[in-house]
Amino acid sequence: MFWSYPVAFARNFLGKAPLWYKLVILLFLIANPVLFKVYGPFVAGWVLIGEFIFTLAMALKCYPLPAGGLLALEAVCIGMTKPETVFQEALTNFEVILLLIFMVAGIFFMKDFLRFTFTRILVKVQSKYKISLLFCFAGAFLSAFLDALTVTAVIIAVAYGFYDIYHRYVSGQDGSDAIHDLTSDLALKEKEQEDLKQFRGFLRNLMMHGAVGTALGGVCTLVGEPQNLLVGSVMGWQFATFFIKVAPVSLPVLVVGLATCYYVEKKKWCSYGVELPGHIRSHLLETEVQMEAKRGTRGTMRLVVQAIAGLWLIVALAFHLGAVGLIGLSVIVFLTAFNGITEEQRIGHAFEEALPFTALLVVFFAIVAVIHDQHLFTPVIDYVLSLKGHAQLAAYYIANGVLSAISDNVFVATVYISETKTHMIGMLAAIPDIGMTGQELMKKLTDPHTARADVLATLPQATAVQVKAVMDQFDKLAVAINTGTNIPSVATPNGQAAFLFLLTSALAPVIRLSYGRMVWLALPYTITMSLTGLAATYLFL
């Protein structure tokens, strides 16, 4: 009788995850305090990063929140970081948390309009490479003005809707509102299973093209990614200034990224080139025609209201009329009020997709807090700061890219821009006859409301020349930081929140999109975009 309790505990631990996975997590939990005690926090910190990446890689075996959360909780308990640091990291990224909570839910209430629009595109554009380019370009264009997470939420909603329609049809539950397991094909015939396998491959291709598109467009503008706002605010750059400064790197990468999209589809590299079966395309069109016939005046009016909400969303985000999450909340209020969604249960369902990922993101901030407290990136930063000229720019780009691929690109950008600014303030302070402290001069030179030329004009000519040289290099390093954290980070789901959101979404297990498969599908983009960005950083900055 006594042994039944340990057995029950073992079975409950991490639920249905494989036994080997449970044992690995237990091994991690046992080893971490030992490593921390014997080898110190630096080694233990890097091991912890590897362990957390493992939980992300095994997301289809076990959602990363329970296992990753245990690792983060243990790190706090043994002193690798402090609860206050974790809170500060979450507070710093509060706008991203608000975005996840409200914007993703807002997109949920627009799903009918999105499905209506994208179904039209899907059935009318028959060429696979044209559809792929359309998804990639749409992701890039929207991410230049919206947030990449918002755009990713849109394409996830669209792909999930497509798959749900056809899977219910072949499972004999067409039109049913009952709970349906989209991950199971056991009740289907062999031919239907093969069709669904091809359909999943097609959707995986589109999702990756769209996700990479968010990185292509997100690097270009001040509002494209959270770290862009961070870098722009430190440098005092406005929207147009940011675009012009980054353009020598971002625009060549955009062209190469779209060209990569075309060639991987044409050449069928890295599992791309999967076609949509014709009868599935036909069924999606038939379903949409039937839904349109049943929609009636009230249904059409709902689509019109959702379209108006979509326009408001684009305008509000493009002009940065408020925090992204608050704009998402306004969409929720608008759509629930004018489309008659007043039941708490229907409203609550919209939040189910985003909240697990929100919790996972806060756990990730705990890992970031360990990186911060244990100064895990300090040796790399010290090395690149010791370099000069174009070699320093290339090293900045590479270092930010590599670290962003294993960590969070917002955190990497935060660390690098702050350390670089401190270094540049020291260089300014060493220049004679500036008439003030380096800190005060830097504040004037990066004031968005004051032209830098006007500040330089107040200095002695010889001093102004030296100050201008320092600030020109600072501008270039800021661009290298921004592009380095945005472009090579497509290599893994760790670097970009949009990629991590896709990996941990309800869609990923449905279309069999695992960590390893995402890395494989991103590989051609990683190679071409990263090398183009590196070459442009070295040659054009």
Side-chain angles (χ1 to χ4, degrees), residues 244-256:
I244 293 169
K245 292 283 188 182
V246 177
V249 180
S250 63
L251 294 186
V253 171
L254 176 62
V255 172
V256 170

Side-chain angles (χ1 to χ4, degrees), residues 63 117 128 162 164-165 201 204 337 349 388 467 499 532:
Y63 190 74
T117 303
K128 174 65 187 305
F162 286 160
D164 182 55
I165 289 172
R204 283 196 300 269
H349 186 58
K388 304 294 180 184
V467 170
F499 279 46
T532 302

Side-chain angles (χ1 to χ4, degrees), residues 144-276:
F145 299 97
L146 313 182
D147 184 89
L149 275 171
T150 304
V151 179
T152 305
V154 169
I155 59 177
I156 286 173
V158 170
Y160 194 89
F162 286 160
Y163 195 83
D164 182 55
I165 289 172
Y166 189 72
H167 198 280
R168 284 180 181 273
Y169 168 69
V170 294
S171 301
Q173 296 192 31
D174 198 15
S176 171
D177 292 329
I179 296 175
H180 180 63
D181 185 5
L182 295 179
T183 63
S184 176
D185 299 340
L186 297 178
L188 308 182
K189 298 177 182 177
E190 186 176 345
K191 178 64 171 65
E192 293 168 340
Q193 291 184 11
E194 285 299 316
D195 289 342
L196 278 172
K197 182 178 179 181
Q198 187 173 343
F199 191 24
R200 286 194 292 267
F202 175 82
L203 291 177
R204 283 196 300 269
N205 290 176
L206 291 189
M207 291 305 301
M208 287 303 298
H209 290 315
V212 170
T214 65
L216 288 172
V219 68
C220 294
T221 66
L222 187 65
V223 297
E225 292 280 357
Q227 67 266 33
N228 298 13
L229 279 169
L230 172 72
V231 172
S233 63
V234 169
M235 301 304 299
W237 293 343
Q238 302 285 6
F239 189 94
T241 307
F242 185 96
F243 177 81
I244 293 169
K245 292 283 188 182
V246 177
V249 180
S250 63
L251 294 186
V253 171
L254 176 62
V255 172
V256 170
L258 292 174
T260 303
C261 177
Y262 174 83
Y263 277 104
V264 294
E265 286 294 339
K266 277 292 188 181
K267 303 296 184 181
K268 302 184 186 301
W269 292 335
C270 296
S271 305
Y272 284 105
V274 182
E275 298 286 346
L276 175 64

Side-chain angles (χ1 to χ4, degrees), residues 446-503:
T446 55
D447 186 344
H449 305 295
T450 305
R452 187 178 294 176
D454 293 340
V455 178
L456 293 174
T458 64
L459 301 174
Q461 185 175 1
T463 302
V465 170
Q466 296 181 63
V467 170
K468 185 177 184 301
V470 171
M471 293 307 295
D472 286 346
Q473 183 68 5
F474 191 20
D475 286 347
K476 294 174 182 178
L477 290 175
V479 173
I481 291 169
N482 185 75
T483 53
T485 55
N486 272 291
I487 297 167
S489 58
V490 302
T492 71
N494 304 58
Q496 301 221 4
F499 279 46
L500 189 60
F501 181 51
L502 172 58
L503 177 67

Side-chain angles (χ1 to χ4, degrees), residues 86 95 140 234 273 281 287 290 294 296 299 413 452 484 494:
V86 178
E95 195 167 341
V234 169
R281 186 192 304 273
T287 303
Q290 292 171 7
K294 295 178 181 178
R452 187 178 294 176
N494 304 58

Side-chain angles (χ1 to χ4, degrees), residues 51-130:
E51 292 169 352
F52 189 74
I53 292 174
F54 171 82
T55 66
L56 297 177
M58 296 292 110
L60 295 185
K61 301 293 184 185
C62 175
Y63 190 74
L65 177 61
L70 285 175
L71 293 172
L73 184 61
E74 182 184 59
V76 174
C77 291
I78 64 178
M80 294 179 73
T81 187
K82 302 174 184 176
E84 294 81 8
T85 311
V86 178
F87 176 77
Q88 190 58 48
E89 290 293 339
L91 190 61
T92 302
N93 291 276
F94 183 65
E95 195 167 341
V96 177
I97 294 172
L98 270 184
L99 180 150
L100 280 170
I101 295 172
F102 294 127
M103 184 60 76
V104 176
I107 295 300
F108 176 87
F109 291 111
M110 292 176 60
K111 65 179 182 179
D112 292 337
F113 174 73
L114 294 171
R115 188 164 63 187
F116 172 82
T117 303
F118 279 88
T119 300
R120 287 290 191 277
I121 295 172
L122 188 65
V123 298
K124 287 186 177 181
V125 182
Q126 307 237 345
S127 169
K128 174 65 187 305
Y129 75 85
K130 288 182 180 178

